[in-house]
Amino acid sequence: MTAETLHTDVAIIGAGPAGLLLSHLLAAQGVESVVVENRSREYVGARIRAGILEQSSVDLLTDVGLGERLAREGDQHRGIHLQFPQERHHLDFVDLIGRSVWVYGQTEVTADLVAARDADEQRFFYSISDTRLHDIDSDHPSVTFTDADGSPYRLTADAIAGCDGSFGPSRSAIPGGATWEKTYPYAWFGILADVAPSTDELIYAWHPNGFALHSMRSDTVSRLYLQVEPGTDPASWSDDRIWDELATRLGHGQDGWELTAGPITDKSVLPMRSYVHAPMQRGRLFLAGDAAHIVPPTGAKGLNLAIADVALLAPALGDLVRKNDARLADAYSETALRRVWRCTHFSWWMTTMLHRSGDPFEEQLQLSQLRWVTSSEAGATGLAENYAGLPFEV
Ligand code: FAD
Ligand code: DHB
């Protein structure tokens, strides 16, 4: 069958937050895009992932008309609680650095983006297969794929944005790049529960049994995590065992604090790794989000970093496509990688400070670091600046 050929300004591979936001920001500059995605629209909309937005992400989403439901339903937090045995400390980011964070799930961000793109008649292809990139070193790159009905397409464009996450084909279309990778010897067991959060703001807890995190999605839905062995089967933990372990690690009963259990609606185990690919651009192919870098979840950077990449990439592609001006496009990789490495360091630092490694020497270093971060204004300010996110460099 001959492929049908389509042309657009920017071919976007992946309808995750990076791809969707990029199409939105490009449209605001009058740049057309087509988004191609190998999963179904329903699958992409239902994925449970990140939960925390930095101040810069909220500011950007608000500036581009995506802040209405976020302002109504998002929950602004002044900071986080950091806990280690017998001690719980609140770090107030607003007092420390005048910035805060919002609880607003990736599922909600994605739903708002899809609604805005639909209202703008954005062209999407969902449930595609056999996505391939071609001629990225020329001025006429293209993406070929097979649509949901089995019809082949060739999408030609002035540029391709590889927003296809950690398993997509874009990253490997940049041969000869450098990669840095670290795998951690632990994983997170995440649950979603239909119960009001037992805390006003997130609790990150160091415990001899392992790390625990109490997060949330709304006044009636809690999201909690436990450090477990990689490869743990979620079905091997009963609901009672999960709640008992969360209660132990989060300090149920200490100073009268109680963890309220409730029906668990989702269980999953997430592997943890740090990964950076450089450069993030080659010819007319630009990588954004998880396609170029992965961070472990501690510190909630993954989604925010994807948003930060796109905040740089959209004006760069706008200039390239509309004015044939490649200056921002040529600088994109180097500029983006500065923030990527800052967030990579912060996520690694939070991860290694809070997770049980089994090494008694490291345990003492962790506790010393936690005491310093929670008692020194300099220590607390460093954490706050990184967690609430540095302003975008645009
Ligand atoms: P993605 O959201 O991965 O989007 C990439 C898209 O590309 C996907 O829709 C994928 O289906 C599509 N795609 C892949 N291959 C192809 C192809 N061949 N053709 C077309 N399309 C393709 N971050 C946090 O900050 N906190 C968290 O709690 C957290 N939890 C997470 C839980 C899980 C299970 C995972 C996987 C990630 C989690 N993250 C978390 C990370 C965060 O979700 C990501 O950093 C964020 O989704 C990055 O957005 P993205 O658009 O770059 O990539
Ligand atoms: C959530 C995830 C994180 O990785 C984190 O550091 C904080 C919150 C969450 O899913 O709510």
Side-chain angles (χ1 to χ4, degrees):
M1 214 189 299
T2 341
E4 183 175 334
T5 300
L6 300 172
H7 183 77
T8 188
D9 294 329
V10 180
I12 300 179
I13 309 177
L20 291 169
L21 181 61
L22 181 63
S23 72
H24 189 82
L25 298 185
L26 289 175
Q29 301 175 75
V31 176
E32 190 195 77
S33 64
V34 172
V35 179
V36 300
E37 162 63 52
N38 68 344
R39 299 288 197 158
S40 70
R41 183 182 261 262
E42 296 68 37
Y43 179 91
V44 172
R47 273 191 301 219
I48 298 160
R49 287 187 168 182
I52 305 293
L53 292 178
E54 298 174 354
Q55 174 102 43
S56 315
S57 302
V58 170
D59 291 348
L60 174 78
L61 295 171
T62 305
D63 286 350
V64 299
L66 294 162
E68 196 209 320
R69 194 163 72 98
L70 199 168
R72 211 171 350 108
E73 295 178 20
D75 194 8
Q76 184 172 8
H77 285 194
R78 293 183 65 94
I80 57 167
H81 300 280
L82 262 187
Q83 177 170 312
F84 41 101
Q86 314 311 328
E87 296 190 38
R88 183 181 293 173
H89 299 264
H90 185 248
L91 300 193
D92 192 310
F93 302 159
V94 178
D95 284 350
L96 289 161
I97 54 158
R99 294 166 76 73
S100 53
V101 292
W102 272 257
V103 170
Y104 195 65
Q106 182 166 334
T107 320
E108 312 312 320
V109 175
T110 305
D112 293 348
L113 277 163
V114 168
R117 298 318 303 130
D118 281 347
D120 204 21
E121 297 183 357
Q122 170 70 39
R123 183 135 197 214
F124 286 104
F125 284 85
Y126 279 99
S127 304
I128 64 161
S129 53
D130 203 19
T131 315
R132 290 175 202 232
L133 293 83
H134 309 271
D135 305 321
I136 60 162
D137 287 322
S138 78
D139 290 347
H140 308 288
S142 63
V143 179
T144 55
F145 61 92
T146 304
D147 80 356
D149 301 324
S151 306
Y153 279 84
R154 174 174 296 275
L155 176 61
T156 63
D158 293 343
I160 299 175
C163 302
D164 44 2
S166 45
F167 304 110
S170 297
R171 183 194 294 153
S172 45
I174 302 188
T179 57
W180 295 264
E181 185 162 18
K182 179 174 172 62
T183 306
Y184 299 85
Y186 24 77
W188 276 16
F189 191 152
I191 63 157
L192 206 58
D194 278 340
V195 61
S198 301
T199 177
D200 55 345
E201 299 195 340
L202 273 63
I203 307 169
Y204 287 80
W206 185 102
H207 189 275
N209 290 7
F211 170 71
L213 169 62
H214 190 331
S215 182
M216 59 203 71
R217 286 292 178 274
S218 69
D219 290 347
T220 54
V221 177
S222 296
R223 175 85 166 139
L224 299 107
Y225 298 95
L226 285 169
Q227 174 185 350
V228 292
E229 293 291 317
T232 297
D233 174 6
S236 67
W237 282 61
S238 69
D239 292 9
D240 284 347
R241 182 179 173 205
I242 294 170
W243 284 115
D244 284 350
E245 193 57 29
L246 284 166
T248 302
R249 296 191 196 179
L250 290 166
H252 178 88
Q254 268 174 41
D255 299 324
W257 181 81
E258 291 186 355
L259 176 69
T260 310
I264 295 176
T265 56
D266 189 83
K267 294 181 189 176
S268 58
V269 171
L270 327 175
M272 300 186 57
R273 88 192 157 110
S274 296
Y275 179 92
V276 179
H277 178 100
M280 289 170 62
Q281 175 254 343
R282 156 108 181 226
R284 291 289 177 123
L285 170 63
F286 299 81
L287 303 180
D290 279 17
H293 40 73
I294 308 289
V295 289
T298 334
K301 287 291 147 208
L303 170 60
N304 293 292
L305 205 43
I307 293 176
D309 284 351
V310 168
L312 279 177
L313 184 55
L317 291 179
D319 281 2
L320 185 68
V321 168
R322 284 278 158 266
K323 303 181 200 153
N324 206 20
D325 176 348
R327 279 174 299 176
L328 288 179
D330 289 345
Y332 167 69
S333 177
E334 209 182 309
T335 315
L337 282 165
R338 280 204 290 270
R339 190 184 193 93
V340 168
W341 276 113
R342 177 87 304 278
C343 292
T344 300
H345 178 270
F346 177 66
S347 307
W348 164 84
W349 177 75
M350 283 283 277
T351 301
T352 46
M353 177 170 71
L354 287 163
H355 289 73
R356 194 184 106 89
S357 72
D359 176 336
F361 176 74
E362 281 175 21
E363 204 169 294
Q364 293 307 318
L365 295 181
Q366 291 176 318
L367 290 168
S368 169
Q369 184 76 350
L370 282 163
R371 276 185 226 108
W372 177 64
V373 164
T374 51
S375 61
S376 142
E377 193 173 328
T381 303
L383 190 150
E385 267 190 0
N386 282 284
Y387 194 105
L390 300 161
F392 291 150
E393 250 179 86
V394 205

